[in-house]
Amino acid sequence: MKSIEKIIEEVIKKEARQEALTIMQNASKEELDEFYKYYNNNSYNIVCLVIDKIKFELVKKGELRQNKDDHFGHFDFE
């Protein structure tokens, strides 16, 4: 299985990679499973949405902050 770092390098634009890594390092096992599921199905745009969703949840729990210049988590799923 490819590492999260390699997947992010492959599917995420360069300027958003560090943020994506930070998000994924804080993801739950279930969230990681979802991330890998869509990556393995070559659904790379859905991989980005999964990262968005994880970021949103982490911000909601107070584990990460949402900044205006961030690449992920700018929309509300509720």
Side-chain angles (χ1 to χ4, degrees):
M1 181 178 344
K2 265 190 184 176
S3 71
I4 291 170
E5 292 83 2
K6 291 289 183 191
I7 293 171
I8 286 173
E9 188 176 312
E10 180 182 335
V11 301
I12 304 297
K13 63 184 180 178
K14 187 175 184 175
E15 59 271 19
R17 289 179 188 158
Q18 186 55 54
E19 181 185 356
L21 274 172
T22 299
I23 294 165
M24 295 311 296
Q25 288 167 346
N26 289 284
S28 69
K29 182 187 178 330
E30 293 81 18
E31 291 166 332
L32 290 171
D33 290 345
E34 185 178 21
F35 175 84
Y36 280 113
K37 176 180 91 172
Y38 287 110
Y39 174 76
N40 290 330
N41 286 330
N42 298 319
S43 298
Y44 304 138
N45 55 339
I46 305 299
V47 168
C48 293
L49 289 173
V50 169
I51 297 171
D52 271 323
K53 184 176 101 174
I54 295 168
K55 170 78 179 274
F56 176 77
E57 291 300 323
L58 289 168
V59 169
K60 206 161 102 173
K61 291 190 271 184
E63 294 179 25
L64 287 180
R65 296 191 67 191
Q66 184 69 51
N67 301 301
K68 71 178 184 91
D69 295 333
D70 287 348
H71 298 276
F72 297 99
H74 282 287
F75 52 89
D76 192 334
F77 286 95
E78 298 179 323

